[in-house]
Amino acid sequence: MGLRPSRKSTQPRHKEANDAKNIESTSETPSSSAAAAVESSTETLQRDAWTARGKLLIKFHDAISRALNSPEMKQKCYEVASSMSSEDESEKSSLANHDYDAEATLIVQNKHKRDNDVRDKAVAVGFFTFFLLRGVPMVRNVVSRRMASASRYKFESAPQQVKGLNSSTILQQPTQQPDSGSPSRLRQFLRLTLDVTVSAAMTVLSGTFLFTPRPSAYIEDMSKLPLVEGKSVYAEVVCPPLLNEYKRTMQQYGRWPVMSSPPPSSATAVAATSSNSPTLTQEDVSLNIIRKFAENCSKRAKYERAILEEQNALDEQKKMGTVSIPRPVPEDVKVNIDEDVFFLIDDDAADDGSTTCIE
């Protein structure tokens, strides 16, 4: 009978190895869990910041949309449109209505610019789709024909000699059979009609959904309207609730909660692109455009006040935008919107809709 090996010496070794692995795993668990906790907390803070900026953007959009859809705005636009379309008016009324010509002209120019941009891009997509649909089959046929002609070579049949009545030989050329593989005219017409239909559909769909400007693009165009010469309906109706909402934001956060976007050609923008600095989201870009809109409203208010000072008419309480300025607001008008907003708009007057610029 053979002797069985003893297991007493082997069990402690396996137990020691398992204990060592457990110790290593327990020693690594706190560091990995701490890193995961820090990463999750960072993601949570970033998500909360995005949510807060999104809610802030909705508030500004709501303030602007309520001002644009207000009865006062509709009445003003109707009066300006009817006065510009009518021709038989007195000289006094025509001069008064010319105060809004610069703003109306800028609105039309911005609309034509956006529409032409969308149209050009959509037409380019349509032409590209048409050439793609027509060019790929043609290239494929040419390549297949050349490959077939290179793979096999056919000798032409010799012309047949036919004896006529006068025993003269007539060389009869072999008749060429029509290519059975060539499509008929009806099939070619159907293919062309299908390609044109698909290209036109791509043009319409791309212009409707793909290249439609973002809301921030329209707000950017709108932000330039308070700077026009003459009077401004947008400065009169849209600027007061916008400045009031900006004032509430400053009271809530103490500062503008979005970092400013430097110009694309500046050295700061190049350094920010090369470094690992945080990039601006679409919400940040939209909020900075709204901030620029508020700055232009502030410039308009200060410029109107300067004109009233020259005319010694500061005692007259006039709404923003109702003062006819002789030229567009200069770009060198310095404003600090974060501080000036507390002295530009009266909260009670803004809520009632009868907003006046105050000192």
Side-chain angles (χ1 to χ4, degrees):
M1 293 179 65
L3 298 177
R4 294 181 179 179
S6 177
R7 296 182 180 179
K8 294 182 179 180
S9 61
T10 58
Q11 288 180 354
R13 294 179 182 177
H14 292 291
K15 187 176 182 181
E16 291 176 359
N18 293 332
D19 293 341
K21 291 181 180 180
N22 292 332
I23 292 173
E24 291 178 358
S25 63
T26 54
S27 63
E28 292 177 357
T29 302
S31 60
S32 60
S33 62
V38 171
E39 185 176 358
S40 62
S41 62
T42 304
E43 292 179 357
T44 304
L45 291 175
Q46 190 174 12
R47 193 182 304 110
D48 294 341
W50 289 344
T51 305
R53 291 197 293 269
K55 292 180 179 179
L56 183 61
L57 182 61
I58 291 175
K59 289 182 180 179
F60 277 107
H61 280 181
D62 182 61
I64 294 174
S65 63
R66 280 190 286 106
L68 293 176
N69 297 322
S70 63
E72 183 183 4
M73 186 69 174
K74 294 179 181 179
Q75 182 66 24
K76 285 287 184 181
C77 292
Y78 176 76
E79 292 177 358
V80 173
S82 60
S83 63
M84 293 181 64
S85 60
S86 60
E87 297 179 356
D88 300 333
E89 291 183 354
S90 61
E91 182 180 359
K92 181 178 179 181
S93 60
S94 62
L95 290 176
N97 294 326
H98 281 313
D99 292 336
Y100 298 98
D101 287 351
E103 187 177 38
T105 303
L106 184 58
I107 292 174
V108 173
Q109 290 178 355
N110 291 335
K111 186 179 184 303
H112 284 175
K113 180 181 178 181
R114 296 294 178 186
D115 293 344
N116 292 337
D117 190 16
V118 173
R119 182 196 60 192
D120 295 342
K121 292 180 180 179
V123 170
V125 170
F127 275 113
F128 177 76
T129 304
F130 181 77
F131 287 123
L132 186 65
L133 294 175
R134 302 296 297 175
V136 171
M138 293 175 61
V139 173
R140 184 176 58 188
N141 293 335
V142 171
V143 171
S144 61
R145 288 176 183 176
R146 290 191 176 183
M147 291 179 63
S149 62
S151 60
R152 57 196 177 98
Y153 181 79
K154 293 183 179 180
F155 291 95
E156 296 181 356
S157 59
Q160 299 178 359
Q161 295 181 359
V162 181
K163 277 188 177 182
L165 296 176
N166 55 358
S167 68
S168 62
T169 60
I170 301 175
L171 297 179
Q172 183 178 5
Q173 298 292 337
T175 58
Q176 295 181 354
Q177 297 294 334
D179 190 5
S180 60
S182 60
S184 61
R185 291 186 177 181
L186 178 60
R187 185 177 298 178
Q188 290 179 356
F189 176 75
L190 291 178
R191 288 180 179 177
L192 178 62
T193 304
L194 180 61
D195 294 342
V196 171
T197 304
V198 173
S199 302
M202 288 297 297
T203 302
V204 175
L205 292 176
S206 62
T208 306
F209 300 102
L210 185 59
F211 300 117
T212 303
R214 295 178 178 271
S216 59
Y218 294 106
I219 296 178
E220 186 177 5
D221 294 339
M222 202 185 305
S223 65
K224 303 174 184 177
L225 296 177
L227 303 178
V228 297
E229 62 182 356
K231 296 181 180 180
S232 174
V233 176
Y234 280 79
E236 181 180 352
V237 180
V238 182
C239 281
L242 176 62
L243 291 174
N244 193 26
E245 189 64 35
Y246 192 92
K247 181 179 180 180
R248 293 174 183 173
T249 303
M250 294 300 298
Q251 290 174 349
Q252 180 180 358
Y253 295 97
R255 62 179 182 85
W256 183 243
V258 181
M259 63 178 181
S260 60
S261 54
S265 59
S266 63
T268 308
V270 176
T273 305
S274 60
S275 62
N276 295 327
S277 59
T279 57
L280 296 177
T281 61
Q282 187 63 36
E283 290 79 8
D284 298 337
V285 175
S286 300
L287 286 172
N288 285 331
I289 292 175
I290 292 175
R291 186 172 189 265
K292 186 64 177 178
F293 193 176
E295 287 182 355
N296 291 340
C297 292
S298 178
K299 288 183 179 180
R300 174 85 185 197
K302 282 197 170 184
Y303 195 65
E304 287 183 355
R305 182 172 181 80
I307 292 178
L308 291 176
E309 287 181 356
E310 292 180 357
Q311 298 175 356
N312 295 325
L314 285 176
D315 296 336
E316 301 179 6
Q317 294 292 334
K318 291 188 177 182
K319 296 178 63 175
M320 183 190 306
T322 58
V323 179
S324 179
I325 59 178
R327 59 182 181 275
V329 178
E331 297 181 358
D332 56 353
V333 176
K334 295 181 180 180
V335 294
N336 187 358
I337 186 62
D338 296 341
E339 297 180 359
D340 296 343
V341 71
F342 293 100
F343 307 100
L344 284 174
I345 297 299
D346 189 3
D347 295 336
D348 299 332
D351 294 333
D352 295 338
S354 58
T355 304
T356 56
C357 297
I358 61 176
E359 185 177 359

